[in-house]
Amino acid sequence: MSYAAFKMMHWATGIEHCAAGYVTHSAADFTPRIPLVTGDDLDSDWTTAAKPIGPIPNLITAAANVLEVYTVRIQEEASSSSTDSKLAAEPKRGGVLAGVSGASLELVCHYRLHGNVESLGVLPNGGVDGGRGRDSIILTFQDAKISVLEFDDSIHGLRTSSMHCFEGPDWLQLKRGRECFPRGPVVKVDPLGRCAAVLVYGQQMIVLKAAEVFFYCRLNLVTFNSDENLASSGLVGEDNAFNSGPSGAARIESSYIVGLRDLDMKHVKDLIFINGYIEPVVVILHEKELTWAGRVSSKHHTCMISALSISTTLKQHPLIWSAENFPHDAHKLLAVPSPIGGVLVIGANMIHYHSQSASCLLALNNFAVPVDGSQEMPRASFSTELDGANATWLANDVAMFSTKTGELLLLTLVYDGRIVQRLELSKSRASVLTSDITTIGNSLIFLGSRLGDSLLVQYNSGVGAPALTPGVKEEVGDIESDAPLAKRLRMSSSDALQDMVNAEELSLYGSGPNNAQASQKTFAFAVRDSLLNVGPLKDFSYGLRINADPNATGLAKQSNYELVCCSGHGKNGALSVLQQSIRPETVTQESLPGCKGIWTVYHKNIRSDSSKGLADEDEYHAYLIISLENRTMVLQTANNLEEVTENVDYYVQGSTIAAGNLFGRRRVIQIFARGARILDGAFMTQDLSFKSSNSESGTGSEGTTVSSVSIADPYVLLRMTDGSIQLLIGDPLTCTVSVTSPPVFESSNKLVSACTLYHDKGPEPWLRKTSTDAWLSTGIGEAIDGADGMTHDQSDVYCVLCYENGNLEIFDVPNFSSVFSFDKFVSGKSHIVDTFSHSNGSDPVKLMKKDSEDVGHDRKESTNSVQVVELSMQRWDPEHSRPFLLGILSDGSILCYHAYIYEVSENASKVEGVASSQSSSRLRNLRFMRVALDPYAREETSSGISSQRMTIFKNVGGLQGLFLSGARPAWFMMFRERLRVHPQVCDGPIVAFTVLHNVNCNHGFIYITSQGALKICQLPVLSSYDNYWPVHKVPLKGTPHQVTYFAEKNLYPVIVSVPVSGFFILHTFALGLKPLNQVLSTLVDQEAGNQFEHDNLSFEGTYPVEEFEIRIMEPEKAGGPWHTRATIPCRLLKCFNCSSCYVICKSKFRSCFIWHTALFSFSLIVSAILNTTTQGNETLLAIGTAYVQGDDVAARGRVLLYSVEMNSDNGQAKVSEVYSKELKGAISALASLQGHLLIASGPKIILHKLKIHSSWRYPQEHIFSSWKEQGSQLNLLAKDFGSLDCLATEFLIDGSTLSLTVSDDQKNVQHGCIAPLDELTFRRLQSLQKKLVDAVSHVAGLNPRSFRHFHSNGKAHRPGPDSIVDFELLSHYEILPLEEQLDIANQIGTTRTQIMSNLNDLTIATSFL
């Protein structure tokens, strides 16, 4: 038996559900941003261009089992009178619209749930107490699980407030004998937050009663359980109701079941709560009697809507009104906002509006049929279809529809009072294919897509045509046209770009034609942000990178390959080139053995205040300092790298510890083991020597040298080898530096293991907000306006250090007064609070941690063996971002914390015997929450050896973050307040890293490998790094179906289908039929002819047809664009006519049009086939086709072989047909087997051998078999008698054991990696997994065992062996506190070191690509 571990390699990115709500803040917290219209704007054609931006809620998204909450950041247009260069910066993506120059999404929290989200709703709570309330999130999961989450300010994350489960043996009666349901639970919420309804099992409605809204006058603190992890996401009970600050979140009080079948609602399609009623009213769309396309002529208007008034107190639900005769294809309800009210019934061909007082409809195309056959219907001015469409409201009378083709349509309700008179539909724009859509505030919409990149779009309404902003180009095309190409490609996704560059589609910016009345509202749109999506993946191939290293070995050799995936659909289709690790583009390379460190420094003689801003980013580096084993090299970097070691006053007689800039880049400081030098360019201005800070004298003091350095202008912090620290203080006036030893450490015997300086600067220093509550009401900490009218940045410097006992402390600099302290930082607890300010034990987080320190007294290991060896605290974006605190432990673990503010009352923070004035200067509102990093390879470091592995960068190719050097280097890139971890293993261990910006290397970097190679590199321009893996998306403008790798030519043949419009004319008359393309057989003509009456009917129109082709694609260079080298059209494969239609008439007055589109597909592989004539292998492109027209016509298939040769003159590929043959039956799969071609056709497997000038052989046919080359036999080995709908299978090789991995239609194997394990490791990790089920907090109360359990969908299936462990659950072990890690390891009879080693080995084993 084989043992394995499942690891999710790439998490879901396609957003299936999205919603907006005030989750992290309330609507009352908003302050107006955009001023009213000034006199200069009155002449503008766009009369409401300066509409104020209202309160902006959060965005909640769900992609499979990934739940994320975002905050929307708005950037205002700079005032024309402003002289600040930063405020006058050019507009961001989308230009300037309605006074807004940019908007972006910032991540608040991210969770990977143990269950796929079936639906998502937001329970509002902002309608009372002036909008001080907050909303809650309702999630539903298979089969009937409901979780309600609210945001907890104290932990800065989501907490489960209630759970409701209606599955299991006690609720079997709800299924009414069924096991399979077409969809999961669907949640809908009352607009006023009074209740919610969840449709489960198709016919049961769960009503969730909301608790009465009330607010606390003071902060109530929750009493947590002793277990930290259960408390961190435990249920919020009534006895310990926790209210996060002054705003309370909506809660669910109780739930009960309403049987819709008992109300004569048998086939429910949708439900929605509507506005304008005293009690909650839910409208249910259901079908009285089922019908289908073949019976539409006799049963066509079979749907109806019923409105139920929900009384949650009495648990009654009387029917207050209903309406019938809605089309059978009605599928969605859309509640009309107040003051109009009512509901829209959305069908494929018709839109109905209905309320108690009025109703009207709008036909969308010629397929819309009136109820009585004679009624005249108002029709739209163009034809469209709304099946699969999503909708949201832009105003109370304007709805936006996103169709299945990506069109954005505007539906206007023309009303008088509350009476809707008519509906008007107009075309607006073209965008991505959406899976969900939501409105954010009064000026933003979010287009969530699982087929393409999701977009954040700003809109603005007015009367008349909008005026274009100066500087924004008018042509229809790329809305990013103002930005440079490289910058544009990084800011926007390929899906967003391809939608804008197509001249045949309207851009999402500017105004399109509107055929409604002049008084109708018009809208302008601007894309502000996008979320990358690489799914859905239909197929992928494993290929060699262009810049692969043929001499690489080990992990470096694995990084030579890349994954080329077919992703997206339709116009959002693309090839996604995924690479788990980063391979930089090398500019130049030199050999430099023995290097220990490298630094680049600036130098400018005269620096004025006016030169700040963009000049800092564009300034070139002046010198490159290279530290060798016994000396230091200095090179000039302005143009080319030229050594100037002999011409400068740098310390070159020994190694350099660190180097950087002081006094606004006017000076360079070089620090070596026993001293430092201050230089003005190449000339030394000051020489310093260091002495031991300890008062004791002796030989030990003489050997004290500098161990690590941290620079924050004008301070330099030194950690000495004896555990002491020294501070260099610079004087900006004289540009001199003095050496001091902080007095607080002179009499202390505490030894420092790691320290760093944090420079808190910007218009609003962030840490100042955490020291007092006054900033919340008085605005303290805002930017100071100087006499010159400019906004000057402020800055504070703090010293963050960790002692050898594991405690953390933060001091202000240069006074070195303690402002924050925390015990046992090395433990890695989930939250960090100030011990001094919260030592009374009343703080929720402190109570949550109290018992975690006392667990596991009898351990095999001790916490003292682990120390913090390096610290770094950084805040990248000075405007909105919060600081990150990172620590590297001696065992290689990385602790990552994100700071946040949680205000506590004065009474709760006072300590007995300590005056309040003494604690007022402390950062008592500062907290840190631990952030789980994506799995990375750990590198153990000795506690006595100090090596600075973290290097902060602010601009490397326009990106920012930190680089982690060492044996397994990695990039930590900052996007949306999230650190993305991307390893770089192509060069092996990296000993030094620094940034470089000069003429020949624009915003690049330099690193030195352990082999002594110095490389100057840049990041690939076209790759996107705001993803789990770096990805380069190649737009195809079509749907990719299959891709394979042609290794000999480095080509990728791709099967692509493009939708085209086919024109048809249908005439129905007595005993007559004229089909399109004459593809119907005589039998079809006869059957259709017998069904027509004497009336003549005629119809003209278009229908979509998928046209297939095979594109031979090649990447031009590493990280560069891809080009199509050759194309094999579908018509060359003799499969051009791939659709047919016929007409069935059963009524004298009506005809039903039924379309039978032929299923046409390809199978594509590159195969090395043995030529029996020449006895040599030939690499050919094998294509198998399948052409299925229906049940009445036999399926056909063809096998084609092509040779591919590259033309060196024009770079194009020459594709020649070698062989083709038509077979009986569709070709479903192809495979290569030792020079033979294996073909799957229906239930048969046929093995072919190629003979020139002769026919093909057909040996035995088997289902599952082995191949014996002697005798050309396929022998049956085994067969699984269990019923399983297999979709894919692959071998799992574990030494001498061969196993099979199968994926089925129930998603029992997801997109991930299955790695083999030895039995001892498996047993250890399996025991750990069982412990973690109870030891780790699970968001939304979901059970990981249930999520990973085999799903048979009600079918009887013999359970398989329990031989796979879940790495995603096991990875939670690393983020547990150190004490709990040791305790769990002791309980399962092993050690923490052994477990961490096994997890690290598994991470390394799956670090391919």
Side-chain angles (χ1 to χ4, degrees):
M1 178 185 295
S2 295
Y3 302 98
F6 173 81
K7 178 184 177 183
M8 186 70 75
M9 300 300 293
H10 194 289
W11 294 88
T13 55
I15 294 178
E16 298 178 275
H17 310 284
C18 61
Y22 295 97
V23 178
T24 65
H25 60 280
S26 62
D29 298 335
F30 171 80
T31 56
R33 294 177 178 270
I34 304 301
L36 298 177
V37 182
T38 61
D40 297 337
D41 298 327
L42 295 179
D43 297 333
S44 174
D45 294 333
W46 190 254
T47 58
T48 59
K51 179 184 66 175
I53 300 295
I56 303 177
N58 297 102
L59 172 67
I60 305 102
T61 65
N65 65 325
V66 178
L67 178 68
E68 294 179 333
V69 179
Y70 291 92
T71 293
V72 181
R73 297 294 185 188
I74 299 294
Q75 179 185 356
E76 304 174 19
E77 180 185 6
S79 174
S80 58
S81 61
S82 175
T83 58
D84 190 356
S85 60
K86 293 184 179 180
L87 292 179
E90 61 182 25
K92 292 186 178 181
R93 180 179 183 181
V96 178
L97 178 63
V100 175
S101 61
S104 60
L105 295 174
E106 177 184 298
L107 184 67
V108 177
C109 50
H110 165 96
Y111 298 100
R112 298 168 183 176
L113 310 177
H114 298 296
N116 293 335
V117 177
E118 296 294 331
S119 66
L120 183 154
V122 174
L123 183 66
N125 192 23
V128 295
D129 195 40
R132 295 289 297 171
R134 293 186 182 179
D135 305 338
S136 294
I137 303 173
I138 302 179
L139 304 176
T140 65
F141 306 90
Q142 291 277 19
D143 290 325
K145 292 185 283 289
I146 307 167
S147 297
V148 185
L149 308 176
E150 65 181 43
F151 189 79
D152 188 348
D153 286 331
S154 66
I155 63 173
H156 200 77
L158 296 179
R159 182 188 299 278
T160 307
S161 62
S162 65
M163 298 185 298
H164 312 263
C165 184
F166 298 90
E167 59 185 54
D170 296 336
W171 303 98
L172 287 178
Q173 70 276 8
L174 300 181
K175 294 186 176 182
R176 302 185 64 85
R178 296 182 61 183
E179 290 291 342
C180 181
F181 298 91
R183 60 180 177 179
V186 178
V187 60
K188 301 292 181 179
V189 181
D190 175 50
L192 298 181
R194 295 166 291 187
C195 66
V198 181
L199 179 66
V200 299
Y201 303 130
Q203 299 175 351
Q204 309 293 336
M205 183 174 69
I206 311 298
V207 177
L208 305 175
K209 178 184 177 182
E212 294 184 4
V213 179
F214 59 94
F215 296 91
Y216 294 97
C217 297
R218 60 182 177 85
L219 179 68
N220 293 328
L221 299 177
V222 64
T223 302
F224 290 86
N225 298 326
S226 59
D227 193 313
E228 167 201 2
N229 299 284
L230 293 178
S232 62
S233 67
L235 291 177
V236 181
E238 296 179 358
D239 297 335
N240 54 358
F242 182 77
N243 195 325
S244 301
S247 302
R251 298 278 176 79
I252 296 298
E253 181 180 289
S254 60
S255 60
Y256 62 93
I257 302 175
V258 176
L260 298 180
R261 189 179 181 89
D262 300 335
L263 303 177
D264 199 22
M265 302 179 190
K266 299 180 181 179
H267 311 289
V268 179
K269 291 189 172 183
D270 196 13
L271 73 162
I272 198 74
F273 283 90
I274 60 176
N275 298 274
Y277 290 86
I278 298 177
E279 286 191 337
V281 173
V282 60
V283 176
I284 302 174
L285 173 65
H286 56 102
E287 197 167 7
K288 296 182 296 183
E289 186 177 358
L290 292 177
T291 185
W292 65 292
R295 299 189 64 191
V296 172
S297 58
S298 59
K299 292 184 180 181
H300 45 87
H301 285 70
T302 57
C303 290
M304 67 175 296
I305 57 175
S306 301
L308 304 180
S309 179
I310 305 297
S311 175
T312 57
T313 304
L314 302 177
K315 296 185 179 180
Q316 296 179 355
H317 37 272
L319 177 68
I320 56 176
W321 58 265
S322 63
E324 298 182 346
N325 295 325
F326 291 96
H328 76 286
D329 54 12
H331 61 91
K332 184 185 288 291
L333 297 177
L334 187 64
V336 180
S338 297
I340 303 175
V343 65
L344 289 175
V345 182
I346 313 301
N349 310 308
M350 194 180 303
I351 301 178
H352 287 256
Y353 168 81
H354 193 86
S355 67
Q356 281 186 283
S357 56
S359 64
C360 58
L361 57 86
L362 181 67
L364 304 177
N365 50 51
N366 291 329
F367 291 105
V369 180
V371 178
D372 54 5
S374 61
Q375 177 185 359
E376 290 295 331
M377 298 183 301
R379 296 183 178 273
S381 58
F382 57 93
S383 295
T384 186
E385 297 174 352
L386 292 184
D387 52 322
N390 296 284
T392 188
W393 291 95
L394 303 184
N396 62 346
D397 59 344
V398 180
M400 171 181 281
F401 287 87
S402 176
T403 68
K404 60 184 178 182
T405 59
E407 283 188 306
L408 296 182
L409 309 177
L410 297 181
L411 178 69
T412 303
L413 279 63
V414 180
Y415 65 99
D416 183 8
R418 297 190 62 180
I419 305 299
V420 176
Q421 299 173 342
R422 67 181 185 276
L423 306 176
E424 296 180 353
L425 189 67
S426 61
K427 288 186 177 181
S428 179
R429 308 289 181 267
S431 183
V432 296
L433 307 178
T434 62
S435 56
D436 203 355
I437 183 173
T438 186
T439 302
I440 307 175
N442 63 354
S443 60
L444 295 168
I445 57 174
F446 182 76
L447 306 175
S449 176
R450 63 182 300 269
L451 300 176
D453 296 340
S454 301
L455 301 179
L456 177 68
V457 181
Q458 181 193 354
Y459 68 91
N460 191 41
S461 62
V463 178
L468 286 176
T469 303
V472 178
K473 296 184 179 180
E474 186 177 359
E475 72 268 7
V476 176
D478 185 6
I479 60 175
E480 314 277 5
S481 56
D482 289 342
L485 175 61
K487 183 177 180 181
R488 231 167 41 230
L489 292 172
R490 280 209 170 87
M491 289 190 301
S492 61
S493 57
S494 58
D495 290 339
L497 286 177
Q498 68 170 341
D499 289 339
M500 308 312 158
V501 298
N502 190 351
E504 296 179 358
E505 296 180 352
L506 292 175
S507 170
L508 272 173
Y509 185 86
S511 176
N514 198 318
N515 56 3
Q517 299 178 357
S519 60
Q520 186 180 10
K521 293 181 180 180
T522 56
F523 289 85
F525 298 87
V527 176
R528 294 303 186 188
D529 203 351
S530 61
L531 298 180
L532 187 68
N533 176 29
V534 298
L537 300 184
K538 296 185 177 181
D539 189 30
F540 57 85
S541 183
Y542 192 67
L544 192 68
R545 297 190 188 188
I546 291 294
N547 57 349
D549 183 6
N551 301 321
T553 58
L555 287 179
K557 184 178 181 180
Q558 290 285 357
S559 68
N560 281 340
Y561 298 89
E562 60 191 5
L563 205 63
V564 180
C565 309
C566 297
S567 63
H569 180 82
K571 65 179 183 179
N572 299 132
L575 281 183
S576 294
V577 184
L578 292 168
Q579 302 162 346
Q580 190 174 5
S581 62
I582 291 178
R583 181 177 287 268
E585 297 177 355
T586 303
V587 178
T588 184
Q589 179 177 346
E590 297 291 340
S591 178
L592 189 65
C595 179
K596 290 188 173 182
I598 51 176
W599 302 268
T600 50
V601 294
Y602 299 94
H603 174 250
K604 183 171 289 187
N605 292 326
I606 302 175
R607 296 188 58 84
S608 61
D609 292 338
S610 61
S611 64
K612 294 183 179 179
L614 296 178
D616 289 344
E617 296 183 2
D618 296 335
E619 182 180 351
Y620 290 153
H621 287 103
Y623 296 99
L624 171 64
I625 304 170
I626 303 176
S627 175
L628 303 176
E629 293 182 357
N630 300 315
R631 64 188 180 96
T632 296
M633 293 176 57
V634 181
L635 290 81
Q636 282 186 344
T637 60
N639 296 314
N640 297 322
L641 297 183
E642 298 177 0
E643 185 175 359
V644 292
T645 305
E646 303 297 331
N647 304 326
V648 295
D649 293 339
Y650 282 79
Y651 175 77
V652 297
Q653 293 78 19
S655 300
T656 298
I657 304 298
N661 284 102
L662 292 177
F663 313 122
R665 298 181 178 177
R666 288 179 293 170
R667 294 293 186 269
V668 176
I669 181 170
Q670 179 195 18
I671 302 171
F672 43 95
R674 299 183 183 274
R677 288 188 180 183
I678 309 298
L679 301 103
D680 184 359
F683 305 100
M684 183 179 64
T685 60
Q686 189 179 2
D687 193 5
L688 302 172
S689 61
F690 306 141
K691 297 181 180 180
S692 175
S693 62
N694 293 336
S695 59
E696 301 177 1
S697 60
T699 57
S701 300
E702 296 297 330
T704 301
T705 57
V706 177
S707 176
S708 63
V709 180
S710 179
I711 302 175
D713 190 11
Y715 304 102
V716 180
L717 182 66
L718 309 176
R719 190 183 76 87
M720 315 303 288
T721 54
D722 62 353
S724 62
I725 65 173
Q726 295 187 21
L727 182 69
L728 307 185
I729 303 177
D731 185 357
L733 297 178
T734 61
C735 292
T736 58
V737 175
S738 60
V739 184
T740 63
S741 179
V744 68
F745 295 102
E746 290 183 353
S747 60
S748 174
N749 57 0
K750 295 182 179 179
L751 300 180
V752 178
S753 63
C755 60
T756 186
L757 288 179
Y758 167 61
H759 201 172
D760 191 22
K761 59 182 178 179
E764 198 173 355
W766 191 86
L767 284 184
R768 291 188 188 180
K769 307 175 185 179
T770 66
S771 61
T772 177
D773 299 332
W775 69 276
L776 292 172
S777 57
T778 63
I780 294 177
E782 296 180 355
I784 299 177
D785 294 334
D788 54 359
M790 297 178 58
T791 302
H792 295 277
D793 289 350
Q794 303 178 73
S795 63
D796 300 321
V797 179
Y798 297 88
C799 172
V800 185
L801 56 84
C802 192
Y803 301 104
E804 289 188 353
N805 60 5
N807 296 341
L808 177 79
E809 198 160 6
I810 300 178
F811 298 88
D812 65 349
V813 177
N815 300 326
F816 264 86
S817 58
S818 178
V819 295
F820 188 90
S821 60
F822 182 76
D823 295 337
K824 288 296 181 182
F825 170 78
V826 71
S827 297
K829 293 183 171 60
S830 62
H831 291 81
I832 293 177
V833 298
D834 184 20
T835 305
F836 182 86
S837 300
H838 306 276
S839 58
N840 60 342
S842 62
D843 185 84
V845 176
K846 290 293 292 182
L847 291 173
M848 195 165 58
K849 308 284 186 258
K850 182 175 294 184
D851 295 332
S852 63
E853 300 178 358
D854 301 329
V855 297
H857 296 287
D858 184 19
R859 302 191 188 103
K860 298 180 181 179
E861 297 174 282
S862 172
T863 59
N864 298 329
S865 60
V866 181
Q867 291 184 359
V868 179
V869 296
E870 187 175 355
L871 279 175
S872 180
M873 189 170 177
Q874 185 65 33
R875 177 177 176 228
W876 279 273
D877 184 6
E879 187 174 359
H880 296 297
S881 66
R882 297 174 281 121
F884 278 86
L885 175 63
L886 295 102
I888 300 180
L889 305 185
S890 56
D891 65 348
S893 301
I894 299 179
L895 304 180
C896 180
Y897 286 90
H898 203 182
Y900 67 96
I901 298 175
Y902 176 66
E903 180 190 359
V904 294
S905 62
E906 290 285 347
N907 295 331
S909 63
K910 289 183 179 179
V911 185
E912 295 182 3
V914 179
S916 176
S917 59
Q918 297 181 7
S919 61
S920 61
S921 61
R922 297 187 67 86
L923 307 178
R924 60 185 183 86
N925 292 334
L926 173 63
R927 296 193 176 189
F928 294 89
M929 61 174 295
R930 187 169 178 186
V931 179
L933 299 173
D934 288 332
Y936 59 91
R938 298 164 59 251
E939 176 185 351
E940 188 168 353
T941 305
S942 175
S943 302
I945 301 177
S946 176
S947 59
Q948 293 181 270
R949 299 174 55 194
M950 291 186 287
T951 303
I952 304 295
F953 60 89
K954 295 292 185 67
N955 188 354
V956 173
L959 306 176
Q960 53 189 4
L962 67 89
F963 184 84
L964 183 70
S965 58
R968 300 181 182 93
W971 294 78
F972 289 67
M973 295 183 177
M974 174 59 59
F975 296 97
R976 311 179 192 279
E977 290 293 279
R978 180 212 310 244
L979 283 176
R980 296 284 196 180
V981 181
H982 300 308
Q984 179 180 322
V985 297
C986 58
D987 295 294
I990 293 178
V991 297
F993 174 93
T994 190
V995 296
L996 175 64
H997 179 48
N998 66 359
V999 175
N1000 299 317
C1001 184
N1002 192 275
H1003 295 298
F1005 54 94
I1006 306 176
Y1007 63 89
I1008 299 179
T1009 67
S1010 60
Q1011 302 299 322
L1014 183 147
K1015 293 188 176 183
I1016 302 177
C1017 304
Q1018 290 180 312
L1019 289 176
V1021 177
L1022 297 182
S1023 296
S1024 299
Y1025 302 97
D1026 187 11
N1027 191 42
Y1028 300 104
W1029 287 11
V1031 59
H1032 172 205
K1033 296 188 71 173
V1034 183
L1036 296 176
K1037 292 292 186 179
T1039 303
H1041 296 272
Q1042 191 174 354
V1043 61
T1044 188
Y1045 180 55
F1046 204 121
E1048 291 186 359
K1049 310 296 181 181
N1050 199 32
L1051 300 174
Y1052 289 89
V1054 187
I1055 300 175
V1056 182
S1057 66
V1058 180
V1060 296
S1061 296
F1063 182 75
F1064 65 85
I1065 302 177
L1066 293 178
H1067 296 282
T1068 62
F1069 51 91
L1071 301 179
L1073 173 65
K1074 291 184 178 180
L1076 177 66
N1077 294 334
Q1078 302 297 327
V1079 295
L1080 295 179
S1081 62
T1082 305
L1083 178 61
V1084 176
D1085 286 332
Q1086 294 175 355
E1087 291 179 352
N1090 294 332
Q1091 297 167 357
F1092 285 102
E1093 300 293 341
H1094 298 284
D1095 292 8
N1096 293 333
L1097 298 176
S1098 179
F1099 177 75
E1100 297 184 6
T1102 61
Y1103 62 96
V1105 176
E1106 291 288 326
E1107 186 175 278
F1108 286 81
E1109 64 183 10
I1110 299 176
R1111 302 180 189 176
I1112 312 297
M1113 304 192 68
E1114 180 187 25
E1116 181 180 7
K1117 62 178 182 178
W1122 287 45
H1123 299 283
T1124 301
R1125 299 305 185 188
T1127 301
I1128 306 176
C1130 172
R1131 59 180 178 272
L1132 296 183
L1133 306 180
K1134 298 181 181 180
C1135 295
F1136 180 72
N1137 297 328
C1138 55
S1139 65
S1140 60
C1141 66
Y1142 61 91
V1143 180
I1144 302 177
C1145 182
K1146 291 187 178 181
S1147 171
K1148 181 177 180 180
F1149 303 102
R1150 193 174 299 111
S1151 295
C1152 172
F1153 302 90
I1154 303 178
W1155 297 95
H1156 286 264
T1157 302
L1159 174 62
F1160 183 57
S1161 63
F1162 287 96
S1163 299
L1164 181 70
I1165 66 166
V1166 174
S1167 176
I1169 300 179
L1170 176 65
N1171 189 329
T1172 56
T1173 302
T1174 62
Q1175 297 299 317
N1177 285 334
E1178 297 182 8
T1179 303
L1180 302 175
L1181 180 64
I1183 303 174
T1185 69
Y1187 183 47
V1188 183
Q1189 290 182 280
D1191 297 336
D1192 299 330
V1193 182
R1196 305 197 306 270
R1198 303 179 73 230
V1199 176
L1200 302 100
L1201 298 180
Y1202 285 88
S1203 65
V1204 181
E1205 298 292 337
M1206 294 299 297
N1207 190 335
S1208 58
D1209 297 333
N1210 55 12
Q1212 298 297 313
K1214 181 181 179 181
V1215 181
S1216 304
E1217 181 180 320
V1218 176
Y1219 188 84
S1220 67
K1221 182 178 181 63
E1222 185 170 348
L1223 300 178
K1224 294 181 179 179
I1227 308 301
S1228 57
L1230 299 173
S1232 177
L1233 179 61
Q1234 292 184 356
H1236 300 74
L1237 186 64
L1238 196 64
I1239 299 176
S1241 177
K1244 299 181 296 182
I1245 297 177
I1246 309 170
L1247 193 66
H1248 293 265
K1249 181 184 296 183
L1250 177 62
K1251 282 189 176 182
I1252 302 299
H1253 305 299
S1254 64
S1255 60
W1256 291 58
R1257 290 185 179 181
Y1258 301 89
Q1260 284 184 299
E1261 303 167 356
H1262 291 283
I1263 298 176
F1264 176 60
S1265 56
S1266 66
W1267 161 247
K1268 288 186 177 181
E1269 188 173 3
Q1270 295 180 354
S1272 299
Q1273 294 182 353
L1274 290 171
N1275 298 323
L1276 180 65
L1277 292 180
K1279 182 178 180 180
D1280 186 6
F1281 291 92
S1283 176
L1284 194 67
D1285 294 331
C1286 303
L1287 300 180
T1289 182
E1290 187 53 86
F1291 290 110
L1292 177 65
I1293 302 175
D1294 182 13
S1296 60
T1297 304
L1298 179 65
S1299 302
L1300 280 175
T1301 303
V1302 178
S1303 174
D1304 66 350
D1305 61 341
Q1306 296 302 310
K1307 306 176 185 178
N1308 284 305
V1309 173
Q1310 296 177 326
H1311 178 58
C1313 174
I1314 298 179
L1317 296 174
D1318 61 86
E1319 184 175 1
L1320 181 61
T1321 302
F1322 170 78
R1323 298 300 181 191
R1324 183 184 300 114
L1325 296 181
Q1326 187 183 47
S1327 301
L1328 175 63
Q1329 177 177 282
K1330 294 178 180 178
K1331 284 290 183 181
L1332 293 178
V1333 171
D1334 299 324
V1336 175
S1337 61
H1338 305 303
V1339 182
L1342 298 171
N1343 192 329
R1345 294 182 60 186
S1346 174
F1347 182 45
R1348 297 304 186 189
H1349 191 266
F1350 182 84
H1351 298 277
S1352 60
N1353 205 8
K1355 300 178 182 179
H1357 191 275
R1358 175 169 45 90
D1362 186 12
S1363 58
I1364 300 180
V1365 293
D1366 184 9
F1367 180 81
E1368 304 312 319
L1369 178 58
L1370 295 173
S1371 62
H1372 284 77
Y1373 179 80
E1374 299 186 36
I1375 62 174
L1376 289 177
L1378 182 59
E1379 293 81 8
E1380 294 191 22
Q1381 292 182 8
L1382 297 173
D1383 186 60
I1384 292 176
N1386 187 49
Q1387 291 179 22
I1388 63 176
T1390 185
T1391 62
R1392 173 184 177 272
T1393 303
Q1394 184 63 58
I1395 294 176
M1396 298 295 279
S1397 176
N1398 293 149
L1399 296 178
N1400 193 55
D1401 292 343
L1402 188 57
T1403 300
I1404 296 175
T1406 56
S1407 297
F1408 48 84
L1409 299 178

